[in-house]
Amino acid sequence: MKLAFNLKGMFLFSLFLMFWHMLLSGVFICGSSLILGYMGYCYYLKKVNICDILFSSSVIINLWYVSNLSINIHQYDYFNFFMHAMYFVDHDFFVKNPIYYLSSVYFQPPLWGLIAGIVTKIGVIFSLTNEYAFDHVRYISFFAISGTGILGWRFFNLFNLSKKILLWGYGMFLFMPIHTIMAGLNNNDSFVYFLMVAILYKGYQWYIDNNKRDAFIIAGLFVLAGMTKFSGLMMMAYIGILGLALLIESKNKLSYKLWSEFFIIGMGGVIGFLWGWLLLYIGFALVPPPNNVSFQFMGDYSIFERLLDFSNINVLFADVRNGIIEPNVWLSLIKTSIFGEWSWNNIYFSYLLYLSAILISLVCIWCFGGVFKYQLGKDFGLNLAIIVLVFVVFMSWAMFWIEYPYFCSTEFRYVVVLVPVACLWVMNYLNQKKLPMWVNYTLAIFCCVFVMAKIIVYLSTI
């Protein structure tokens, strides 16, 4: 099955919605009508598949959420990134005083600030206030999450999965609540996530085909990812293991072609960390301690409590602004993956969504054992790359919340790249089991209940 949507079209669509929202009202009605009209056109051409229905439905839900957000609602580090964008607007998109810049924008790499600054400047030209103009940056995040959905479909189709398992897994991937939350963010989390998923997909394509074109694309993605957020360079571990597997499989260990591809990708990582090299040279920390987050402080809890105390499992939300903090890091991952750090309406369906998320987490943990047993791709090289990536991501996350014991350090957005990875290993595990019909129906019903609960909770709140 081929998806009827592509990255170029989705990017232009997102830009169109951004300009529409700047100048006119009714952006959701306009956007959803265009999507439905396009689907109708594809149906007329007999080019509509179930994957298109799933994808377009998720885009409409995300657009509804994004278009109905108000300024600084459901945002992370809003003022830091607003300040980041305004620095470029006020200084003609040039870093004129690097030390002042580094001190004033939380040391973030400049790419997202440049993008946000351009969007803000366009809004100001259209006579919007600085704050309202900056608020339209979320349409770039909307594109990033939509693009992630497109890349996810391409990635999953590289594997020999049954049609039922593929569509079930893709549906769960698209409708994960964290994707809707990230579609409306003004910070760099969504964009770097999109780039990391692109590396995940292109990296495996490179592993299969071993061509220089993919190596250049991966290098370019590393440059963009590193200059957006340093966490994007965690994907070097994944690519490194795939490269090692290629080297082991190669009959000619000194192959110029293979080593030149290694060099190209490695240089992409080095250039991507260029901002990091600058910070280290000047003597600045790569990750500065959070500011003005004393209400999120977790230093009074022991490591044992943070890892093994599940006494808060019956508390639904981690609403830090209202003094409700989740000290257990595992429960924090679950709660922030569906609710972020805020309270939501419709308690009944919120509990249903929460219980579903716990069940999904347990299934993911159980199926992870299959990564050690069942081959994921053309050989076990991808299995090893996935295992190493999971280890690197969780180690990075653990070091972050241990060094900076605040609730915000434990949130799911720091491990979100594992969503498509987990979907893959769950689908592969289920695919190996040759599921009976009743299990397929159960999975379909569970997927529908999960998505329904998410939609009702989000509709009830925003």
Side-chain angles (χ1 to χ4, degrees):
M1 288 180 289
K2 184 178 180 181
L3 196 66
F5 298 84
N6 58 60
L7 292 177
K8 180 181 178 181
M10 189 53 61
F11 179 67
L12 295 175
F13 175 65
S14 301
L15 286 183
F16 171 78
L17 294 178
M18 183 185 77
F19 283 109
W20 185 287
H21 201 181
M22 284 182 179
L23 302 172
L24 302 166
S25 59
V27 65
F28 172 70
I29 295 175
C30 172
S32 57
S33 298
L34 287 174
I35 293 172
L36 292 174
Y38 179 64
M39 289 298 295
Y41 175 71
C42 291
Y43 178 79
Y44 173 76
L45 296 177
K46 297 181 180 180
K47 293 183 178 180
V48 171
N49 296 305
I50 299 177
C51 59
D52 298 315
I53 297 172
L54 291 172
F55 178 78
S56 57
S57 299
S58 70
V59 170
I60 288 174
I61 292 169
N62 291 345
L63 176 58
W64 173 85
Y65 175 85
V66 170
S67 62
N68 284 286
L69 284 177
S70 301
I71 293 176
N72 197 17
I73 299 298
H74 287 191
Q75 299 294 332
Y76 297 106
D77 304 321
Y78 178 86
F79 291 106
N80 290 318
F81 285 94
F82 173 67
M83 184 167 53
H84 199 173
M86 288 309 300
Y87 179 93
F88 285 103
V89 173
D90 294 338
H91 293 82
D92 301 321
F93 299 92
F94 186 76
V95 180
K96 296 181 178 179
N97 187 336
I99 300 300
Y100 170 74
Y101 171 79
L102 291 171
S103 302
S104 64
V105 298
Y106 227 42
F107 306 176
Q108 293 284 352
L111 181 57
W112 184 251
L114 281 167
I115 294 172
I118 291 170
V119 172
T120 304
K121 183 68 174 180
I122 292 171
V124 171
I125 291 173
F126 289 143
S127 301
L128 304 181
T129 64
N130 291 335
E131 292 81 3
Y132 189 53
F134 171 71
D135 198 48
H136 290 80
V137 175
R138 57 184 136 132
Y139 284 96
I140 306 300
S141 293
F142 169 77
F143 157 72
I145 297 303
S146 301
T148 298
I150 294 172
L151 292 173
W153 177 253
R154 294 178 183 176
F155 179 61
F156 297 147
N157 271 273
L158 295 176
F159 304 92
N160 187 27
L161 300 167
S162 73
K163 182 179 178 180
K164 291 178 181 178
I165 293 295
L166 175 62
L167 291 173
W168 173 82
Y170 185 56
M172 292 298 291
F173 171 69
L174 288 175
F175 290 99
M176 282 292 174
I178 188 64
H179 285 158
T180 301
I181 291 173
M182 293 184 72
L185 293 182
N186 289 84
N187 69 5
N188 55 8
D189 285 328
S190 304
F191 191 60
V192 77
Y193 173 47
F194 165 71
L195 295 170
M196 292 170 80
V197 174
I199 294 170
L200 183 72
Y201 163 61
K202 274 296 173 184
Y204 186 59
Q205 265 200 332
W206 171 65
Y207 184 59
I208 296 172
D209 301 329
N210 189 19
N211 64 68
K212 194 165 290 188
R213 179 177 179 273
D214 285 335
F216 274 110
I217 292 173
I218 294 167
L221 289 169
F222 273 126
V223 173
L224 295 175
M227 295 301 283
T228 301
K229 191 173 184 177
F230 293 136
S231 59
L233 296 175
M234 288 192 295
M235 298 302 293
M236 287 292 290
Y238 167 78
I239 296 296
I241 296 300
L242 292 181
L244 179 62
L246 280 175
L247 184 62
I248 292 172
E249 294 171 2
S250 176
K251 294 180 180 179
N252 180 10
K253 307 299 182 187
L254 299 178
S255 167
Y256 171 79
K257 177 179 179 297
L258 187 59
W259 281 97
S260 65
E261 291 170 10
F262 291 165
F263 177 79
I264 291 167
I265 294 173
M267 286 304 299
V270 170
I271 297 172
F273 194 63
L274 194 62
W275 197 254
W277 302 126
L278 175 62
L279 292 177
L280 292 174
Y281 176 77
I282 296 176
F284 279 47
L286 293 178
V287 182
N291 290 327
N292 302 318
V293 289
S294 57
F295 59 95
Q296 298 191 36
F297 184 66
M298 293 289 188
D300 296 332
Y301 292 93
S302 66
I303 294 294
F304 176 84
E305 289 175 306
R306 303 212 68 190
L307 289 173
L308 300 174
D309 183 1
F310 291 89
S311 57
N312 261 16
I313 195 170
N314 62 323
V315 178
L316 189 55
F317 305 114
D319 190 352
V320 295
R321 298 293 174 180
N322 291 315
I324 306 173
I325 299 178
E326 177 51 66
N328 183 278
V329 295
W330 310 115
L331 292 178
S332 173
L333 285 180
I334 293 173
K335 293 177 181 180
T336 56
S337 72
I338 52 177
F339 301 124
E341 57 180 36
W342 313 283
S343 291
W344 298 71
N345 296 334
N346 203 316
I347 297 300
Y348 175 80
F349 280 98
S350 292
Y351 267 111
L352 182 59
L353 186 58
Y354 178 48
L355 293 174
S356 299
I358 292 175
L359 180 59
I360 290 171
S361 302
L362 295 175
V363 169
C364 288
I365 294 170
W366 176 266
C367 293
F368 182 64
V371 182
F372 297 87
K373 184 178 180 180
Y374 302 119
Q375 185 174 310
L376 280 172
K378 70 171 187 175
D379 51 41
F380 277 89
L382 180 63
N383 292 60
L384 180 59
I386 293 297
I387 292 168
V388 170
L389 178 61
V390 171
F391 176 79
V392 168
V393 170
F394 271 113
M395 282 300 298
S396 174
W397 168 75
M399 290 172 62
F400 188 40
W401 62 257
I402 289 172
E403 184 173 0
Y404 301 115
Y406 300 93
F407 172 76
C408 59
S409 304
T410 65
E411 294 185 10
F412 189 80
R413 58 196 173 108
Y414 295 113
V415 301
V416 68
V417 71
L418 297 183
V419 171
V421 175
C423 285
L424 174 62
W425 81 56
V426 170
M427 286 190 289
N428 188 65
Y429 180 87
L430 297 177
N431 199 59
Q432 302 294 331
K433 295 300 180 180
K434 306 301 179 184
L435 302 176
M437 189 61 67
W438 71 268
V439 176
N440 287 320
Y441 283 127
T442 301
L443 290 174
I445 292 171
F446 173 76
C447 182
C448 291
V449 170
F450 177 76
V451 172
M452 177 193 67
K454 169 201 167 176
I455 293 173
I456 292 175
V457 169
Y458 281 47
L459 283 173
S460 301
T461 305
I462 300 298

